[in-house]
Amino acid sequence: MNFRFIFSSLLYGLFVFFLSCSSKNEKQQPNILFIMSDDHAYQAISAYNDKLIHTPNIDKIAEQGIIYNKAFVTNSICAPSRAVILTGKYSHLNGVKGNSEVFDGSQQTVPKLLQKNGYQTAIVGKWHLKSHPTGFDYWNVLPGQGDYYNPDFIKQGKDTVYQGYVTELITKLSLDWLKKRKKDQPFFLMMHHKAPHRSWMPAIKNLALFDDKDFPLPDNFYDSYEGREALKTQKLTVKDHMDIRMDFKVPCNDCDTSDINFWAPGEYWRRLDRLTPEERKQWEESYKKEETEFLEVKDDETKYDQWKFRRYMEDYLRCIASVDESVGEVLQFLNETGLDENTVVIYTSDQGFYLGEHGLFDKRFMYEEALRTPLMIKYPKEIDKGASSGLLVQNLDIAPTILDLAQLEKPGGMQGKSLRETWKSDSVKWRDAIYYHFYEKGWGVPMHYGIRTDRYKLIHYYGEVDHWELYDLQNDPAEMNNLYGNVDYKEIQQELHIRLKELQQKYKDSVPD
């Protein structure tokens, strides 16, 4: 017997085995968990700003991965943002410019590409694209905006009603799918929260949160809008345009309503009717004090404004507290099941939100609070703990990033860049400007487009308002001083005009006449 031959064969076999194992590990596709909230302002995440709320679980993603300090959207409105994330294309190319358009589910999307390449795919929560989801093995989504209490869902095309609070239900349904999925395939789960979207209805258990917290008005709450014509036409101020019932939770049955704003009086009662009798009782007891306070302050303008802002912040942040709890539950599940090491976790919002800056709530405008969105990613295999980036990134980059992480080629039509470059190299060549275009009409916000560089921002409003604005973000981060036409910024203004046209050509967007 040739022992030398047998020994050599064994060594060769072991070598091939370990080589194949190494190769398999190198090619192993990670799981991808994409968590998106709705209208979650970066100012209301303590990893960005700890003045309003403590969000320990969302912060963990940043602490254990990378946080982006200059992440922006291409179009600050719900449905268009979701379409951009799915397709990696600007609104004018994916067909969803505003909330009224129906998303064409036949077009190429990230979940479809992942599904074709061995991933189990699922989406749970807010969809808001009018057509049914495609490219998902499992989908269970809210119809339209969805409800906070005992909400309807559409599960694989069938209407279903669940008992409970929407944020907690989305968490439970997501975890249920993760537990039942096929364990021999990587997963891609989009967990989309409704919260903290208007009208900010908190979990019953959280109705007393922040009752003892003081919320000072932002420095520019009483912005006069001098030199900014578009802001003068909007109907999105905290002090003048919020609904006494829907937003402030005051029934106002016996009020003199001649000078009180009602946005959707019937909607308030419809949404409360979804509560069980016990929940309704707790709700009314918790908000009883609001009507008493309202009657005390409504004739004093200063106190009334402060009260409105506090009411806005209380309920908005209560909704975020539930989102943070949700993130904690999911991260704990990943740790307990050993999935943490090979799972990419992305947290973001569909856009930013105004928390009283310029006196506003909502989004839409190209000012920083709505344009900028929270974004953080953790992936223990690749991303160092506590990393941060000041590069100009966008939600346009999410689709290419997910595909890159899944070791798939980015299709030619996608317009974003993989963020993987931003954490793998300190000297990455990156964009020096971003392009924005808001198309929707409503709430008095004119259509507009613009460019933002690291320091400057140029905006053009068109349609009913034809107006240009220029900001030096280094010297005027609050965007209070419109410098358009200022002789000291003549060269910068001309350069931004040129760069703006270049970006419109690059992204194939037509220039409005």
Side-chain angles (χ1 to χ4, degrees), residues 331-391:
L331 293 180
Q332 183 178 355
F333 171 80
L334 295 177
N335 287 328
E336 291 176 349
T337 54
L339 291 168
D340 178 65
E341 189 68 20
N342 194 44
T343 299
V344 178
V345 180
I346 302 171
Y347 185 87
T348 191
S349 174
D350 51 357
Q351 62 260 323
F353 214 66
Y354 297 103
L355 303 183
E357 299 88 1
H358 302 285
L360 304 174
F361 68 95
D362 206 70
K363 53 260 185 178
R364 293 172 168 82
F365 281 107
M366 197 186 165
Y367 304 117
E368 288 293 281
E369 291 80 14
L371 176 67
R372 184 177 165 192
T373 190
L375 178 62
M376 51 193 75
I377 305 173
K378 88 177 189 77
Y379 183 29
K381 283 189 174 181
E382 282 191 9
I383 305 175
D384 293 334
K385 291 183 178 180
S388 65
S389 173
L391 295 174

Side-chain angles (χ1 to χ4, degrees), residues 247-265:
D247 298 320
F248 301 134
K249 317 301 190 296
V250 174
C252 217
N253 293 324
D254 301 320
C255 302
D256 174 7
T257 61
S258 58
D259 60 347
I260 296 174
N261 184 50
F262 287 99
W263 171 56

Side-chain angles (χ1 to χ4, degrees), residues 23 124 131 156 165 170 224 241 273 289 321 349 359 503 510:
S23 175
V124 177
S131 59
Q156 306 287 101
Y165 184 63
I170 290 169
S224 68
H241 300 112
D273 284 344
K289 66 179 179 60
S349 174
L503 288 180
S510 58

Side-chain angles (χ1 to χ4, degrees), residues 176-431:
D176 286 348
W177 181 81
L178 285 172
K179 293 170 185 176
K180 295 174 183 177
R181 77 190 193 286
K182 296 177 183 178
K183 305 300 189 292
D184 59 346
Q185 287 179 264
F187 67 78
F188 173 59
L189 170 62
M190 303 188 86
M191 188 168 121
H192 287 189
H193 284 297
K194 168 185 172 62
H197 192 279
R198 192 181 187 186
S199 56
W200 314 298
M201 291 180 154
I204 299 299
K205 67 180 183 180
N206 289 335
L207 291 179
L209 275 181
F210 306 109
D211 272 355
D212 57 351
K213 186 173 174 63
D214 183 38
F215 296 101
L217 296 177
D219 292 340
N220 59 356
F221 185 81
Y222 290 107
D223 190 346
S224 68
Y225 309 142
E226 182 181 355
R228 290 153 293 157
E229 297 305 311
L231 276 168
K232 296 176 182 178
T233 68
Q234 55 74 27
K235 299 175 182 177
L236 294 169
T237 63
V238 176
K239 67 186 298 292
D240 295 324
H241 300 112
M242 279 190 164
D243 186 287
I244 190 66
R245 286 183 180 140
M246 186 75 98
D247 298 320
F248 301 134
K249 317 301 190 296
V250 174
C252 217
N253 293 324
D254 301 320
C255 302
D256 174 7
T257 61
S258 58
D259 60 347
I260 296 174
N261 184 50
F262 287 99
W263 171 56
E267 273 294 287
Y268 174 75
W269 300 116
R270 182 194 72 78
R271 295 180 188 190
L272 284 192
D273 284 344
R274 301 192 72 88
L275 293 166
T276 65
E278 180 58 32
E279 290 170 336
R280 183 69 173 265
K281 181 180 178 182
Q282 291 181 61
W283 170 282
E284 291 175 350
E285 288 177 355
S286 295
Y287 284 116
K288 191 179 296 181
K289 66 179 179 60
E290 314 303 350
E291 185 160 14
T292 301
E293 291 177 353
F294 162 71
L295 294 172
E296 290 173 351
V297 302
K298 71 180 183 68
D299 295 325
D300 184 319
E301 185 176 359
T302 300
K303 289 182 179 179
Y304 193 18
D305 291 347
Q306 291 172 339
W307 177 84
K308 290 174 184 176
F309 181 66
R310 179 168 60 80
R311 287 295 306 115
Y312 171 31
M313 286 295 93
E314 284 173 344
D315 285 339
Y316 180 85
L317 296 175
R318 287 165 180 164
C319 291
I320 289 173
S322 291
V323 173
D324 189 67
E325 290 174 7
S326 167
V327 171
E329 286 186 54
V330 176
L331 293 180
Q332 183 178 355
F333 171 80
L334 295 177
N335 287 328
E336 291 176 349
T337 54
L339 291 168
D340 178 65
E341 189 68 20
N342 194 44
T343 299
V344 178
V345 180
I346 302 171
Y347 185 87
T348 191
S349 174
D350 51 357
Q351 62 260 323
F353 214 66
Y354 297 103
L355 303 183
E357 299 88 1
H358 302 285
L360 304 174
F361 68 95
D362 206 70
K363 53 260 185 178
R364 293 172 168 82
F365 281 107
M366 197 186 165
Y367 304 117
E368 288 293 281
E369 291 80 14
L371 176 67
R372 184 177 165 192
T373 190
L375 178 62
M376 51 193 75
I377 305 173
K378 88 177 189 77
Y379 183 29
K381 283 189 174 181
E382 282 191 9
I383 305 175
D384 293 334
K385 291 183 178 180
S388 65
S389 173
L391 295 174
L392 302 174
V393 304
Q394 291 183 276
N395 58 351
L396 190 71
D397 301 321
I398 289 173
T401 302
I402 290 171
L403 293 178
D404 191 6
L405 287 163
Q407 301 167 34
L408 300 175
E409 291 290 327
K410 180 184 80 170
M414 283 192 178
Q415 298 175 304
K417 302 176 66 174
S418 172
L419 296 174
R420 208 171 181 188
E421 302 174 46
T422 66
W423 68 70
K424 295 189 89 174
S425 172
D426 294 330
S427 57
V428 60
K429 186 177 180 181
W430 200 251
R431 65 171 67 92

Side-chain angles (χ1 to χ4, degrees), residues 139-159:
W139 54 276
N140 200 348
V141 298
L142 296 165
Q145 290 285 359
D147 285 294
Y148 274 106
Y149 305 124
N150 305 315
D152 298 325
F153 276 75
I154 305 173
K155 179 182 179 181
Q156 306 287 101
K158 296 181 180 179
D159 293 342

